[in-house]
């Protein structure tokens, strides 16, 4: 199997080997040390400002999006949500559920957020902004620095869902001024799904510590208190946290976050160059490094996904909704090589020559 989806993605051999071992008991100094090292690495790779902290949640990243909405905002906030696809829209649904006043900045799918569009909301007493830096459904990368400048100018609390962009696209939390960053284990971290990390800067810690949260599991103040000693309030996905540790160390050994981002970028460039020989169009403005959405000029996108899966054992990522038959996505994160891209391109050429598209 060759997996070009955008999560779960392929893991390194070392990460897979940990998954084959027995899971240890976790209320130990040894496991606490692993957790504190995970925190140190993740803060470093996101370039979090001094005094920031990270918690590791045993839930998929949507759980962390929900936890952030619950712990950082109340009915007296007014938040702006960049709604450019299904992940942006998830923040809209969460604010509906929790009664957080919001306005959705709707973007046509595949379109980037321009400064002109954003500054239509300038000076309108927004207190928060929620954005998925890579809107994974369309592969559009928003400009975290440009949005950060807007937030600084307006004194806005800035939340970045970097679930698919962390370790794939450049991101500097200190420089762009983000107050919260969310990421997950199964995207560029290239581990199994089940764990999500939330980074909180001092300004975010202030909000979280004073939050009156009606939840036991999603009480981030409780998670933070436990994390002071490298622990979690409840049993975490111990095995995945050990795999995350191996992966974070692996990245360090290979030159750190910047080197990993360059590797993903080269993986994306290689694919985008090779696919030009085939009848496909690119569909997104300012594409993120992690994923390329392509539109087959001939043939049905979903059918191509099925043929690749059933006849070639290659997985690409189908799109849902009204993009199901026109677009599929090819991921560049996880343990993939340029040779793997060639295998995929050759399979597509074969499908093409068989007259199936
Ligand atoms: C994958 C992803 C998520 C979370 O998805 P889960 O299925 O909950 O892990 C959230 N936001 C973005 C931008 C994503 O790419």
């Amino acid at each position: 199997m060759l997996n070009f989806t955008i999560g779960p993605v392929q893991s390194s051999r070392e990460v897979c080997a940990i998954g084959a071992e027995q899971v240890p008991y976790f209320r130990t100094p040894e496991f606490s040390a692993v957790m504190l090292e995970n925190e140190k690495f993740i803060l470093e790779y996101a370039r979090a400002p001094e005094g920031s902290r990270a918690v590791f949640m045993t839930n998929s990243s949507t759980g962390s999006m929900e936890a952030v909405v619950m712990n950082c905002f109340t009915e007296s906030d007014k938040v702006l949500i960049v709604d450019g696809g299904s992940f942006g829209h998830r923040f809209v649904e969460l604010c509906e559920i929790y009664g957080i006043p919001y306005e959705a900045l709707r973007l046509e799918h595949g379109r980037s957020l321009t400064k002109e569009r954003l500054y239509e909301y300038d000076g309108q007493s927004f207190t928060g902004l929620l954005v998925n830096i890579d809107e994974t459904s369309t592969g559009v990368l928003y400009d975290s620095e440009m949005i950060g400048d807007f937030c600084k100018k307006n004194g806005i609390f800035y939340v970045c869902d970097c679930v698919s962009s962390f370790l794939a696209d450049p991101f500097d939390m200190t420089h762009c001024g983000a107050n919260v960053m969310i990421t997950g284990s199964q995207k560029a971290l290239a581990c199994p799904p089940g764990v999500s990390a939330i980074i909180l800067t001092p300004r975010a810690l202030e909000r979280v510590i004073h939050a009156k949260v009606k939840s036991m599991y999603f009480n981030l103040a409780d998670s933070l208190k436990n994390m002071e000693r490298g622990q979690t309030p409840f049993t975490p996905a111990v095995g995945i946290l050990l795999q995350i540790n191996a992966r974070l160390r692996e990245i360090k050994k290979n030159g750190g976050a910047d080197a990993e981002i360059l590797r993903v970028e080269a993986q994306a460039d290689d694919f985008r160059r090779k696919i030009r020989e085939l009848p496909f169009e690119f569909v997104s403005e300012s594409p993120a490094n992690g994923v390329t959405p392509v539109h087959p000029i001939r043939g049905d996108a979903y059918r191509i996904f099925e043929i690749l899966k059933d006849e070639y054992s290659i997985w690409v990522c189908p799109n849902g909704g009204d993009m199901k038959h026109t677009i599929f996505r090819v991921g560049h994160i996880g343990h993939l090589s340029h040779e793997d891209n060639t295998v995929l391109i050759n399979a597509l050429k074969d499908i093409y020559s068989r007259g199936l598209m």
Side-chain angles (χ1 to χ4, degrees):
M1 184 193 80
L2 197 47
N3 181 355
F4 290 91
T5 67
I6 34 178
V9 301
Q10 296 190 158
S11 302
S12 66
R13 228 175 241 126
E14 196 189 345
V15 167
C16 289
I18 295 168
E21 284 170 19
Q22 298 285 359
V23 176
Y25 180 64
F26 68 105
R27 300 284 187 208
T28 60
E30 289 79 6
F31 187 69
S32 292
V34 166
M35 289 293 279
L36 292 172
E37 188 173 71
N38 285 352
E39 180 182 27
K40 181 190 76 136
F41 277 134
I42 208 146
L43 293 175
E44 176 189 327
Y45 296 167
R47 297 183 193 272
E50 198 62 36
S52 299
R53 303 206 27 222
V55 291
F56 291 85
M57 306 289 291
T58 294
N59 48 240
S60 92
S61 302
T62 305
S64 293
M65 292 167 73
E66 183 155 8
V68 166
V69 169
M70 292 165 78
N71 284 262
C72 295
F73 298 109
T74 68
E75 291 87 357
S76 41
D77 279 294
K78 178 181 158 195
V79 304
L80 183 62
I81 302 168
V82 180
D83 181 3
S86 55
F87 290 103
H89 198 69
R90 205 166 281 184
F91 275 132
V92 171
E93 292 174 300
L94 286 167
C95 287
E96 275 292 333
I97 290 168
Y98 292 99
I100 313 295
Y102 70 90
E103 212 165 306
L105 192 172
R106 284 229 176 70
L107 294 169
E108 201 185 315
H109 290 176
R111 293 277 163 267
S112 194
L113 174 61
T114 61
K115 197 169 170 180
E116 291 67 41
R117 271 313 301 279
L118 182 60
Y119 278 77
E120 286 171 22
Y121 299 85
D122 189 27
Q124 292 183 25
S125 63
F126 283 99
T127 59
L129 185 144
L130 297 161
V131 62
N132 323 89
I133 292 301
D134 170 7
E135 169 48 74
T136 321
S137 63
T138 58
V140 173
L141 183 73
Y142 301 127
D143 184 343
S144 59
E145 300 282 335
M146 187 268 285
I147 300 171
D149 289 342
F150 171 83
C151 290
K152 279 175 210 159
K153 179 169 184 283
N154 286 276
I156 287 173
F157 187 85
Y158 180 22
V159 174
C160 290
D161 163 353
C162 293
V163 176
S164 63
S165 58
F166 179 61
L167 297 172
D169 298 287
F171 181 71
D172 186 326
M173 226 178 152
T174 303
H175 199 262
C176 78
N179 301 109
V180 176
M181 189 211 77
I182 305 166
T183 195
S185 55
Q186 84 274 28
K187 303 274 169 87
L189 258 178
C191 285
V195 170
S196 170
I198 305 173
I199 296 181
L200 303 158
T201 63
R203 185 174 171 197
L205 292 168
E206 195 61 31
R207 280 202 175 213
V208 164
I209 285 158
H210 296 111
K212 293 187 178 60
V213 189
K214 283 209 185 88
S215 169
M216 180 185 271
Y217 197 77
F218 291 112
N219 185 321
L220 293 181
D222 194 14
S223 301
L224 283 164
K225 197 157 132 281
N226 278 269
M227 192 60 189
E228 282 172 17
R229 56 187 176 103
Q231 286 290 327
T232 51
F234 314 105
T235 310
V238 177
I240 298 169
L241 286 158
L242 293 173
Q243 289 172 300
I244 288 175
N245 187 252
R247 170 70 173 141
L248 292 169
R249 282 170 169 242
E250 189 177 274
I251 290 168
K252 187 75 183 171
K253 198 180 71 200
N254 295 334
D258 291 345
E260 179 61 16
I261 291 163
L262 286 177
R263 195 193 63 74
V264 176
E265 186 183 21
Q267 180 70 19
D269 286 348
D270 178 69
F271 172 78
R272 289 169 191 171
R273 202 163 31 75
K274 288 173 179 165
I275 191 85
R276 281 185 206 285
E277 298 171 33
L278 285 157
F280 285 94
E281 279 173 347
F282 297 130
V283 291
S284 294
E285 291 180 350
S286 63
N289 288 333
V291 58
T292 305
V294 290
H295 164 59
I297 294 168
R298 278 196 285 275
D300 178 293
Y302 195 78
R303 188 71 198 116
I304 295 171
F305 153 73
E306 286 180 323
I307 296 170
L308 282 170
K309 168 171 73 68
D310 297 337
E311 299 179 31
Y312 298 84
S313 283
I314 296 174
W315 293 74
V316 294
C317 219
N319 266 50
D322 53 6
M323 293 183 274
K324 179 172 175 180
H325 297 287
T326 54
I327 290 168
F328 65 79
R329 292 165 297 164
V330 176
H332 313 299
I333 52 181
H335 198 67
L336 285 169
S337 67
H338 295 198
E339 291 70 50
D340 294 329
N341 280 338
T342 301
V343 172
L344 171 60
I345 295 292
N346 287 341
L348 288 169
K349 280 183 184 163
D350 198 43
I351 294 171
Y352 182 52
S353 68
R354 288 164 64 199
L356 297 172
M357 68 171 179

